[in-house]
Amino acid sequence: AQSVSQHNHHVILSEAASLELGCNYSYGGTVNLFWYVQYPGQHLQLLLKYFSGDPLVKGIKGFEAEFIKSKFSFNLRKPSVQWSDTAEYFCAVTFGAGSYQLTFGKGTKLSVIP
Amino acid sequence: SQTIHQWPATLVQPVGSPLSLECTVEGTSNPNLYWYRQAAGRGLQLLFYSVGIGQISSEVPQNLSASRPQDRQFILSSKKLLLSDSGFYLCAWSVGNHGYTFGSGTRLTVV
């Protein structure tokens, strides 16, 4: 069955530390990949997305993600986190060409300590 | 510009009572519409999606139903709420395959 896995439930970092959040999916066909962020008390917002082309995708607020097809992964990275990055991060995938149904991972809560 | 409205923001309902949550979209035509439920530690679960008026697909069998009486209106309903229906409900829309835009959500507590 198609699924999305986020292995880290809660990540705690100090400001200026580097961040990498893992996301893996199980599906052998075409996928579109997304990262969403939910800041405390706010809506889900799109951070970045990958459809095709350069597997290194840059998003808002200094985030980037790399699609590694051979590893079925789409990890989110940021070189230096800030306290304002404290939020919950969700990886999401559509499975199959032309699909528009997003399947979400369970989310990773990031806490950044000043 | 495109916006999505979802209400109410919070709702406390007794077990066995009916439910109606409404979501409307502005600034776009023929969107795909979705209802998700977000539970702590379980991420977002797709409940229903709709590709057009009167077209509803259910992803998870449960005590809830959805309807789309107009192009930009999506309603989540229940005839009799259960305690397990408590959660955070999110409406979303998309056009094509360019990611979703989410509403602000409804926190439902069934008591």
Side-chain angles (χ1 to χ4, degrees), chain A residues 14-100:
Chain A
S14 299
E15 275 192 315
S18 64
L19 169 72
E20 181 160 3
L21 301 182
C23 173
N24 289 87
Y25 64 91
S26 59
Y27 183 68
T30 302
V31 293
N32 292 322
L33 302 154
F34 306 81
W35 274 98
Y36 285 85
V37 60
Q38 189 172 27
Y39 297 102
Q42 295 189 28
H43 304 190
L44 274 168
Q45 301 171 39
L46 181 65
L47 262 183
L48 48 80
K49 59 188 177 184
Y50 172 81
F51 289 168
S52 63
D54 188 345
L56 184 61
V57 180
K58 294 194 184 298
I60 61 172
K61 304 187 181 186
F63 287 91
E64 66 178 30
E66 185 175 11
F67 173 45
I68 303 179
K69 191 173 182 179
S70 61
K71 295 185 177 180
F72 303 94
S73 70
F74 190 55
N75 292 355
L76 181 71
R77 301 195 293 247
K78 186 171 183 179
S80 176
V81 294
Q82 301 171 321
W83 177 78
S84 58
D85 293 322
T86 295
E88 191 156 16
Y89 293 81
F90 294 92
C91 179
V93 182
T94 61
F95 297 106
S99 171
Y100 41 74

Side-chain angles (χ1 to χ4, degrees), chain B residues 52-79:
Chain B
I53 296 173
Q55 299 179 60
I56 309 295
S57 296
S58 174
E59 288 295 301
V60 182
Q62 56 204 312
N63 186 42
L64 302 168
S65 62
S67 61
R68 185 171 178 174
Q70 300 179 46
D71 181 45
R72 287 171 284 183
Q73 184 185 30
F74 204 26
I75 298 171
L76 182 69
S77 304
S78 174
K79 292 182 179 178

